[in-house]
Structures are given as C-alpha cells and as structure tokens.
C-alpha cells in the first residue's frame, strides 16, 4: 500500500470550525538543573543552551538528537510542563502567536500526546473516542457521534473500532492502532497545535510511516501545527519529514527543511555516502560515533550552525505572521451530573469487562466463605464450660479471632483490589482531568457510585453464607453485616487515599502495608491497648479495626454471662456499640474526603 498517496490522508479530518492557527516561537532558551544538591557549592548542568526556533501553521517539526540531547526538555518547555524552581533555572522566551501563555492556555488550544498512550484498557476504540467526545464537546449527541465517525474513518480505525484497547489485563489492539486511537481522542476538540513525544517509538517502520504521514496531512490539510520528537527514523520516514530540528548536547545544530540537510552537510565538508539514510548518517556523527564513517572535522558544531543556518532562521522568525490567538474558555463542556453519569457508566464497563476484577472477586468470595466456615465450623454453638475459666477464655479468643478475620477480609478485599487497579486507572484520570474532560468531583462520585454496590454486596454475601455455619448469635446478624459493610467502605476510602496520596503507583503499593500495620497493631486484637507505649497510643483512635472489634464484641457478648468474665471489658473495649459504629462511619467518610483532597491536589500539581 502506498501510504503517502493514500486518498484518506489527503482529505481534511474534519471541517475546521474555528480558524485559530498557532505559531510557536522560542528564543534563547536556557535550562540548567542542579547537579549536586547536597554540596555547598551548587553546580548546575546545562540541558538546553541558547536554543531558538519556531514552528508555524501547516508545518510539522521533528525534533531529533541523540539520547540525552534535550528533546524531551524542549517539549516540556513548549508545553509549559516545567517551570523555574530551586533545582532548575529556565531562561528565555516562548511565545504562542506572539503572546506569552500558560499551561492552562496551552491545554485550551493544544494537545500533548505522551509517548505512553494512556487509555482505559477495558473500552473499545470507538467507546474511547466517544467518551472523549461526549465529555469534551458541547454539541448535540448526534453531532458528537458524527465527529467520532469522521475521526474513526479518517484515522483508518474502522476495522478495530470494536476491539478493546487492551493493556495489562486485557488483550487489545496493536501499538499503531493504540497510537492512532490516542491521536483520535485528542482530535475530538480539534486542537490547532499537537505536540507528540516520540509517536513512532516501539512501532514497526510501516506503522511509524503511517503515523508520520498522518501528522503531515493534519498539518497540510487542516493547517495544524505539529511538533514531535523522533529517534532514528528510517529513510522512508526521514524523506517524508517536513522541518527538522537537530539537538546536540542541548544546542541546536541544525534547523530547517529535512531535505536541505544534505547540502548543509556538504557546506560543512561532509558527503552523504551512497545509499545511506541521511538520518542514520548525521545521528551517528552527532552522537560522536565515528566508527562507521570516517570524519576528519567536526561538522555539526554551534559555530557552523550560527554561520550557515541561524541568520536564515532569525529572518524567518522575524517574518512569521500570526493572528491573535483565541484562547477558548477552559471551562468544562458539561455539567457535574452528566460527567458523573459518563464516568459511572465507564467504571461499570471497566468492572464487568476486567476479568481479573470480576473473576478475582468471585473467587475471593468463594475461598473466604469456605475458609471461614470450615475453620470456625459451629464455633458459636459449642459454648464453653461456664465453670472453667480456661475454657471460656479459649472460646472467647476463638470468637474474637473469627470476627477479626471476617472484618479484615472485607476490608482488605476492597483495599488491596484498589491498590492494584487504581494506580493503572489513576494515570488515565490524571490525563483526562488535565485536559479538562471532567471535574475531579465527577470522577470521584462516578467511581464511588459503581463501587458502592460491590462494597455492600461482598460483605453481605460473605456473612450470609458464614454467619450461621459458624454459629454466631442470630440477633446480632444485622449489626454484624452493617459493621462489615462499613469496613469495606473504610477499606475503599483508605485504598483510594493511598492511591492518590503518593506520586508513583509503586510507592503507594509499598506504603499501604506501612499504613495498615499501626492500625492493626492498635486494634486491640493483638495486644491489650493498656499495655502499649503511651506516646503512640493515639493511633488507636484512628484504627478502624479497633472500632470494628469493639462493635463486634459488644454485639456478640453483650448480656452473656460467663461466670463473671466480661470479654469486652477484659479486652479493653470501652465504647458503646453505637458510638463504635458512629466512629466507623466517620472514619469511612474521613478517608474518602482525604482521598478526594489528595486526588485534587495531585491533579492540580500535574496541571
Ligand atoms: N532533573 C534533572 N536533573 C539532572 N539532569 C537532568 C534532569 N532532567 C534531565 N536531565 C538531563 O538532561 C539531559 C537531557 O534530558 P532529556 O530527557 O531532555 O533528553 P532526551 O533528548 O529527551 O533523551 P531521550 O531521547 O533519551 O529521552 C539528559 O542528560 C538528562 O540526564
């Protein structure tokens, strides 16, 4: 198939509703980062050195250079992802249509497509683009769907439109289809500037060429401005590039038409060997890898660039014409309720389509029910001998152990599932929130609405199966079930909170046990609370397990006469049943509020 001549690429992706063309211009950009923060004499490493350049409407600019040359840093500056702070100094000017702009302005008119395509794995390609269209557009449902159809058609995604995107747990579409789906999601709002970090990495050369040609056509047919980084393109891809910018150790060493580089190299005393890919040739030289080509003099130097290229670039920058940039309102396109409904619908799909979630949860329920019923079979029916204190103590210990195990089971089941699944979904949330798809509150509420039935059903089913098999007090069933539901809810809050609190999913997974251990230690189950060191006993007041055991024990043993032995008092639980339940409700609510606050803070930090 001749990709370059494929007719679909020559048609505009969609009607341009609003002419808001973008020109980016950067002048004398310098970036220095602190190298040795702990030493008295601070040393800074220069990452970008006096970089100037531009890209304008209808152009694609490919930023090239060896690893560590500063490509990602330049993209981060253009997309306003990094700012000057104590550990990095940024100087220079970046203008969008001759005006300063903020990260917020950038996301209103532009799209930044990261190297890793962050998409929800349990949605199909069509559903993914539809979700973005429904949330980001204000049009009627029919108009939104027309746009989705047009994007799917023009990105050649028809064949895979009903296949899951896939990922860690679900098998899905190919890398190239994934990249195009990600581009499709961004095209929904018709951004006039698209910045992509290595859109071709990990793709075979055919698919990579397809992506590059697609970007070129977006620039050509829709007057979009496209900037992307690319590593070692094949000769076919290189020949299809429009403008390139070469970086070497943070310095611009070439900028201009990709085809002009061969004459430029000749001016610098370099001849491209026959049948050699220009990109391979100059990348080898820039990377100082002179083994393959015999080079006598250094051709890609700053002096040569300043002598031969820079004057022309400066002239072009002076002559750039751009209209006043219209920054659309960055307000959300839809109201809270509509957003919540869509997020809830997607969470529901994610729930029943994720085999690891659904099967894992059913499996957990069966295993837990079997383990509890068989380990503590008819325990409650085998009442102790009231004249034997050892017998009473042993029996009470077994009952408290049983109740503790059921409670922990319900708590951990929800919390641990979240520890595994939430970090995967969190990056999707952060990306969507960052592009103003929905409010943090809508996401939080939508997710909670879908989790709530499971939070209620799992402990209810578990206790329905086990309660009478282990012979617990019939009158205490409802309270026991209610406390278990509260424990599930608390586990949900704590799981979300740890997932939102820490920057990396790995750290949050590692920190969860650290948070849990003190709560378990101060539950009163392992050690009588009066015996623990005074300075740290305040943790008991935050431990949901303490209130759980308090409520469970009163519920089971209240009014029972074991020859003067009162298990509740002996084990040091002093709160009344309803106070314990009240505090559990408070903790479940508190952890959810904290989770929301952390999620909002994390989203704000990223934006
Ligand atoms: N915070 C930092 N502290 C110290 N050095 C940094 C920091 N950030 C980036 N660097 C260094 O700056 C240089 C440029 O990094 P950058 O990620 O921009 O390169 P790159 O060209 O995108 O590389 P690659 O192609 O491998 O992604 C690298 O040498 C990197 O180690």
């Amino acid at each position: 198939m001749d990709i370059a001549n494929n007719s679909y690429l020559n048609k505009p992706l969609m009607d341009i509703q609003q002419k808001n063309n973008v020109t980016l211009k950067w002048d004398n950009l310098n970036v220095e980062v602190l190298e040795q923060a702990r030493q008295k004499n601070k040393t800074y490493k220069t990452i970008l050195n006096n970089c100037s350049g531009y890209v304008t409407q209808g152009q694609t600019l490919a930023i090239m250079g060896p690893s560590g040359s500063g490509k990602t840093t330049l993209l981060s500056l253009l997309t306003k992802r990094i700012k000057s702070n104590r550990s990095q100094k940024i100087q220079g000017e970046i203008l969008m249509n001759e005006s300063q702009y903020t990260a917020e302005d950038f996301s209103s008119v532009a799209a930044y497509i990261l190297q890793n395509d962050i998409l929800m794995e349990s949605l199909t390609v069509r559903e993914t683009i539809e979700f973005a269209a429904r949330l980001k557009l204000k049009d009627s449902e029919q108009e939104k769907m027309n746009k989705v159809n047009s994007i799917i058609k023009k990105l050649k995604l028809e064949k895979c439109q009903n296949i899951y995107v896939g990922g860690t747990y679900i098998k899905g579409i190919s890398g190239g289809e994934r990249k195009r789906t990600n581009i499709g999601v961004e095209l929904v709002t018709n951004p006039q500037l698209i910045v992509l970090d290595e859109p071709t990495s990990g793709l075979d050369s055919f698919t990579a060429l397809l992506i590059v040609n697609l970007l070129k056509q977006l620039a050509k047919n829709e007057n979009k401005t496209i900037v992307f980084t690319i590593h070692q393109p094949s000769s076919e891809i290189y020949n299809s590039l429009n403008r390139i910018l070469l970086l070497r150790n943070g310095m611009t060493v070439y900028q201009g038409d990709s085809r002009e580089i061969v004459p430029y190299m000749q001016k610098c005393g370099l001849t491209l060997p026959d049948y050699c890919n220009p990109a391979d040739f100059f990348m080898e030289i820039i990377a100082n890898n002179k083994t393959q080509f015999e080079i006598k003099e250094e051709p890609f130097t700053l002096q040569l660039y300043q002598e031969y290229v820079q004057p022309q670039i400066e002239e072009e920058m002076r002559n750039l014409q751009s209209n006043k940039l219209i920054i659309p309102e960055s307000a959300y396109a839809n109201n809270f309720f509509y957003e919540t409904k869509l997020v809830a619908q997607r969470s529901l799909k994610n729930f029943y389509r994720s085999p690891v979630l659904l099967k894992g949860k059913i499996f957990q329920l069966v295993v837990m029910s079997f383990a509890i019923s068989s380990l503590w079979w008819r325990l409650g029916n085998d009442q102790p001998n009231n004249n034997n204190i050892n017998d009473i103590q042993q029996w009470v210990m077994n009952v408290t152990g049983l109740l503790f195990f059921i409670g922990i089971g319900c708590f951990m089941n929800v919390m641990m599932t979240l520890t595994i699944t939430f970090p995967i979904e969190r990056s999707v949330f952060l990306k969507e929130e960052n592009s103003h798809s929905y409010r943090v509150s809508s996401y939080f509420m939508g997710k909670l609405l879908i989790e709530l039935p499971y939070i209620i059903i799992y402990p209810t089913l578990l206790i329905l199966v086990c309660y009478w098999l282990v012979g617990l007090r019939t009158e205490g069933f409802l309270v026991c079930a209610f406390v278990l539901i509260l424990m599930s809810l608390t586990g949900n809050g704590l799981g979300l909170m740890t997932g939102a609190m820490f920057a990396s999913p790995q750290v949050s997974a590692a920190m969860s046990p650290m948070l849990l251990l003190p709560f378990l230690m101060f539950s009163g189950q392992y050690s009588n609370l009066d015996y623990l060191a005074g300075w740290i006993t305040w943790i008991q007041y935050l431990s949901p397990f303490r209130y759980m055991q308090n409520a469970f024990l009163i519920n089971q043993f209240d009014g029972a006469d074991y020859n003067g032995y009162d298990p509740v008092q002996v084990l040091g639980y002093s709160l009344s049943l309803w106070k314990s339940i009240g505090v559990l409700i408070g903790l479940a609510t508190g952890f959810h509020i904290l989770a929301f606050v952390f999620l909002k803070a994390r989203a704000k930090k990223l934006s």
Side-chain angles (χ1 to χ4, degrees):
M1 181 171 107
D2 182 357
I3 296 166
N5 292 329
N6 196 312
S7 59
Y8 83 87
L9 293 171
N10 296 322
K11 291 178 192 158
L13 269 179
M14 61 185 77
D15 297 334
I16 304 168
Q17 297 159 329
Q18 182 189 34
K19 272 236 175 301
N20 196 11
N21 299 322
V22 176
T23 295
L24 273 186
K25 216 158 112 174
W26 54 102
D27 205 10
N28 283 318
L29 283 186
N30 285 289
V31 178
E32 290 180 330
V33 293
L34 195 55
E35 256 191 328
Q36 291 156 312
R38 291 191 181 181
Q39 290 190 1
K40 273 189 183 167
N41 297 329
K42 291 180 176 177
T43 52
Y44 284 87
K45 177 184 173 187
T46 302
I47 296 184
L48 285 184
N49 191 351
N50 271 324
C51 287
S52 300
Y54 78 92
V55 57
T56 190
Q57 59 205 51
Q59 287 185 346
T60 58
L61 176 71
I63 301 173
M64 299 175 70
S67 187
S69 57
K71 302 182 293 296
T72 307
T73 309
L74 181 56
L75 276 200
S76 305
L77 284 174
L78 299 182
T79 54
K80 296 280 171 180
R81 288 203 150 210
I82 52 171
K83 290 182 187 148
S84 264
N85 56 35
R86 268 191 302 171
S87 62
Q88 63 193 15
K89 293 195 273 188
I90 299 171
Q91 288 167 337
E93 192 176 45
I94 312 173
L95 299 174
M96 192 187 274
N97 291 18
E98 301 299 332
S99 308
Q100 305 272 0
Y101 61 100
T102 61
E104 188 92 337
D105 298 336
F106 179 85
S107 44
S108 302
V109 290
Y112 183 28
I113 300 179
L114 298 168
Q115 188 179 346
N116 300 330
D117 300 306
I118 302 169
L119 300 165
M120 200 82 169
E121 62 179 70
S122 56
L123 294 193
T124 65
V125 169
R126 169 172 279 278
E127 286 168 346
T128 304
I129 302 174
E130 276 179 2
F131 182 75
R134 288 203 171 103
L135 280 171
K136 289 183 181 178
L137 301 176
K138 287 184 178 163
D139 311 344
S140 70
E141 179 70 8
Q142 188 55 49
E143 285 167 333
K144 286 175 184 175
M145 289 310 108
N146 289 346
K147 273 185 187 159
V148 172
N149 289 335
S150 146
I151 290 172
I152 287 179
K153 193 168 170 212
K154 301 296 166 59
L155 293 182
K156 277 261 171 189
L157 287 167
E158 297 107 317
K159 275 190 189 158
C160 63
Q161 60 177 307
N162 295 318
I163 297 177
Y164 290 138
V165 167
T168 320
Y169 300 114
I170 302 173
K171 198 172 152 26
I173 53 176
S174 70
E177 289 163 344
R178 204 179 161 84
K179 182 57 73 186
R180 277 182 284 152
T181 306
N182 201 2
I183 295 175
V185 166
E186 298 301 336
L187 286 182
V188 154
T189 51
N190 195 17
Q192 280 308 104
L193 168 65
I194 304 179
V195 181
L196 305 97
D197 193 11
E198 301 201 10
T200 58
S201 79
L203 303 180
D204 61 79
S205 56
F206 177 85
T207 317
L209 182 60
L210 192 90
I211 300 286
V212 170
N213 277 323
L214 168 70
L215 297 175
K216 234 172 96 177
Q217 295 306 319
L218 282 173
K220 192 175 150 202
N221 297 334
E222 301 190 23
N223 233 7
K224 291 189 192 295
T225 308
I226 313 270
V227 185
F228 60 95
T229 54
I230 190 163
H231 257 294
Q232 212 86 23
S234 67
S235 51
E236 253 186 316
I237 292 179
Y238 183 78
N239 291 333
S240 74
L241 293 179
N242 175 206
R243 286 185 70 231
I244 62 166
L245 185 149
L246 280 189
L247 284 175
R248 178 185 203 173
N249 298 331
M251 291 177 288
T252 310
V253 290
Y254 178 75
Q255 187 176 175
D257 194 310
S258 61
R259 285 158 304 184
E260 296 295 320
I261 197 149
V262 178
Y264 172 65
M265 288 191 296
Q266 273 168 353
K267 271 190 199 167
C268 309
L270 267 182
T271 309
L272 180 71
D274 288 342
Y275 313 113
C276 183
N277 173 9
D280 288 342
F281 184 62
F282 63 69
M283 287 292 275
E284 281 258 342
I285 295 163
I286 289 179
N288 281 331
N289 184 357
K290 296 182 187 171
T291 48
Q292 197 181 341
F293 307 106
E294 280 185 24
I295 311 295
K296 289 191 191 95
E297 283 178 43
E298 200 59 74
F300 283 102
T301 60
L302 192 59
Q303 284 109 308
L304 289 171
Y305 173 75
Q306 285 169 340
E307 192 176 333
Y308 293 120
V309 186
Q310 197 166 318
Q312 194 192 329
I313 295 295
E314 282 172 357
E315 176 69 18
E316 286 170 10
M317 283 171 78
R318 273 192 296 276
N319 293 334
L320 279 176
Q321 301 217 327
S322 54
N323 48 349
K324 190 175 178 320
L325 191 68
I326 306 158
I327 305 274
E329 249 183 83
S330 67
Y332 299 97
N334 296 286
N335 63 40
F336 167 80
F337 298 102
Y338 183 73
E339 287 173 0
T340 306
K341 187 183 102 179
L342 286 188
V343 173
Q345 281 172 347
R346 184 178 68 170
S347 295
L348 186 63
K349 276 184 189 153
N350 187 41
F351 182 78
Y352 67 76
R353 285 179 184 174
S354 298
V356 69
L357 280 182
L358 203 58
K359 285 183 193 161
K361 282 175 175 178
I362 295 170
F363 181 72
Q364 259 177 344
L365 185 63
V366 173
V367 170
M368 278 289 283
S369 312
F370 178 74
I372 292 167
S373 318
S374 54
L375 283 174
W376 284 280
W377 174 254
R378 293 182 59 80
L379 171 72
N381 304 90
D382 301 332
Q383 290 284 324
N385 177 354
N386 248 9
N387 296 322
N388 185 339
I389 188 70
N390 283 347
D391 215 19
I392 295 172
Q393 280 177 344
Q394 212 171 39
W395 183 80
V396 166
M397 200 178 76
N398 286 337
V399 174
T400 55
L402 156 70
L403 290 167
F404 196 69
F405 186 81
I406 301 177
I408 290 246
C410 289
F411 181 92
M412 294 296 233
N413 165 50
V414 175
M415 186 178 167
M416 285 300 141
T417 312
L418 272 181
T419 314
I420 298 166
T421 57
F422 186 54
I424 301 172
E425 196 186 313
R426 194 182 75 155
S427 41
V428 177
F429 155 74
L430 289 175
K431 182 192 137 189
E432 290 173 343
E433 201 283 334
N434 200 235
S435 64
H436 280 256
S437 298
Y438 45 64
R439 295 160 183 85
V440 181
S441 50
S442 320
Y443 170 78
F444 198 77
M445 194 50 81
K447 197 171 159 49
L448 199 60
L449 275 178
I450 295 308
E451 274 160 9
L452 218 49
Y454 174 74
I455 289 170
I456 296 171
I457 289 169
Y458 179 87
T460 311
L461 284 180
L462 183 75
I463 203 66
L464 264 174
V465 174
C466 303
Y467 200 79
W468 285 279
L469 293 179
V470 294
L472 290 173
R473 225 162 65 107
T474 303
E475 313 85 75
F477 174 77
L478 284 180
V479 169
C480 184
F482 187 56
V483 172
L484 283 180
I485 291 170
L486 284 180
M487 286 311 287
S488 270
L489 201 58
T490 314
N492 190 67
L494 205 62
L496 283 176
M497 191 186 98
T498 42
M501 202 157 117
F502 300 103
S504 100
Q506 288 84 354
V507 177
S508 80
M511 289 307 287
S512 306
M514 295 294 289
L515 266 174
L516 275 182
L517 281 176
F519 287 164
L520 286 171
M521 180 56 86
F522 285 90
S523 63
Q525 175 65 22
Y526 298 113
S527 176
N528 195 302
L529 296 171
D530 297 336
Y531 284 96
L532 294 168
W535 63 273
I536 204 171
T537 46
W538 56 268
I539 295 180
Q540 65 179 287
Y541 301 112
L542 293 177
S543 168
F545 305 114
R546 173 182 178 242
Y547 300 105
M548 171 191 86
Q549 275 304 76
N550 200 144
F552 274 159
L553 296 199
I554 293 177
N555 187 42
Q556 283 305 317
F557 298 123
D558 200 28
D561 181 16
Y562 300 110
N563 212 355
Y565 179 85
D566 181 355
V568 180
Q569 201 199 351
V570 170
L571 293 170
Y573 294 109
S574 53
L575 281 187
S576 70
L577 174 68
W578 294 110
K579 271 189 187 157
S580 307
I581 289 178
V583 180
L584 270 183
I585 293 174
L587 282 176
T589 315
F591 287 139
H592 278 92
I593 292 174
L594 280 177
F596 177 72
V597 170
F598 282 123
L599 207 58
K600 211 165 161 76
R602 189 136 304 284
K604 199 168 173 214
K605 201 168 177 185
L606 185 80
S607 66

